[in-house]
């Protein structure tokens, strides 16, 4: 199913006309920055979306997740008119529309994974060059973990980071 894409101004008009705005990003992303009035229903729980027949506009960060999941989102809408906010919250913000940002929330888990993996790979290379070649194994281990995560959808580093003290207060 192909969902029509709305611009930020068309989305604003749809919301003002009674459409619901559904944020399909994870709770950690939604807690850090969100569009006022958007309801957070992460993509992995989209089947729990309440159905009331009103038009629905789905959004994510850049529009890529919503476009890739259009069939699933259309089915979750249950026959109600469904649309995608083109460009996601990034386009919304660039169009001068308001967002609510809470920078006290931790960075999104995937950004934490990217930072941690990058630091560990760099550390493994530097230690391998300047201390002992065995440290190159650290970079290989992280690379293998990232490949495994990409192939299976399970990321041990993300699961470990979720239970770190700075993430315990984040929304679940």
């Amino acid at each position: 199913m192909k969902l029509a894409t709305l611009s930020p101004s068309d989305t604003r008009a749809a919301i003002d006309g009674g459409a619901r705005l559904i944020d399909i990003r994870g709770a950690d992303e939604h807690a850090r920055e969100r569009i006022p009035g958007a309801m957070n229903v992460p993509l992995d729980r989209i089947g729990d979306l309440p159905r009331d027949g009103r038009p629905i506009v789905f959004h994510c960060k850049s529009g890529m997740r919503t476009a890739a999941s259009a069939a699933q989102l259309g089915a979750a809408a249950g026959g109600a008119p469904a649309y995608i906010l083109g460009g996601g919250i990034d386009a919304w913000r660039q169009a001068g529309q308001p967002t609510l940002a809470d920078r006290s929330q931790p960075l999104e888990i995937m950004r934490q994974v990217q930072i941690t993996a990058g630091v560990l790979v760099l550390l493994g290379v530097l230690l391998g060059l300047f201390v002992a070649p065995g440290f190159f194994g650290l970079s290989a281990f992280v690379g293998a973990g990232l490949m495994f995560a990409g192939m299976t959808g399970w990321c041990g580093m993300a699961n470990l980071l979720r239970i770190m003290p700075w993430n315990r207060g984040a929304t679940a």
Side-chain angles (χ1 to χ4, degrees):
M1 166 182 254
K2 181 145 174 70
L3 300 182
T5 301
L6 300 179
S7 68
S9 59
D10 290 339
T11 298
R12 168 53 58 207
I15 293 167
D16 291 345
R20 291 186 298 156
L21 183 61
I22 305 297
D23 184 348
I24 67 164
R25 299 174 302 149
D28 58 336
E29 294 175 275
H30 182 79
R32 188 143 170 98
E33 183 178 25
R34 64 194 166 280
I35 296 172
M39 179 181 179
N40 183 229
V41 182
L43 188 55
D44 62 349
R45 293 189 8 239
I46 202 68
D48 299 339
L49 180 68
R51 296 179 183 183
D52 62 6
R54 293 179 9 207
I56 299 171
V57 180
F58 294 101
H59 87 84
C60 62
K61 182 177 181 346
S62 67
M64 298 295 286
R65 270 181 275 188
T66 50
S69 305
Q72 183 181 4
L73 297 173
Y83 308 93
I84 292 174
L85 168 57
I89 195 172
D90 290 344
W92 180 268
R93 190 181 330 95
Q94 288 172 353
Q97 296 290 340
T99 64
L100 299 173
D102 183 355
R103 300 297 178 219
S104 70
Q105 292 292 321
L107 290 175
E108 298 86 1
I109 292 296
M110 289 318 297
R111 284 186 61 195
Q112 291 182 42
V113 167
Q114 293 165 341
I115 292 166
T116 303
V119 167
L120 289 173
V121 167
L122 181 60
L123 183 64
V125 168
L126 292 175
L127 290 172
L129 285 172
F130 298 115
V131 177
F135 282 108
F136 286 122
L138 175 60
S139 297
F141 178 73
V142 172
L146 291 172
M147 284 179 24
F148 180 79
M151 290 187 293
T152 65
W154 184 86
C155 181
M157 189 181 297
N159 290 334
L160 180 63
L161 287 168
R162 269 190 194 94
I163 63 171
M164 290 292 125
W166 59 85
N167 286 324
R168 287 190 189 144
T171 58

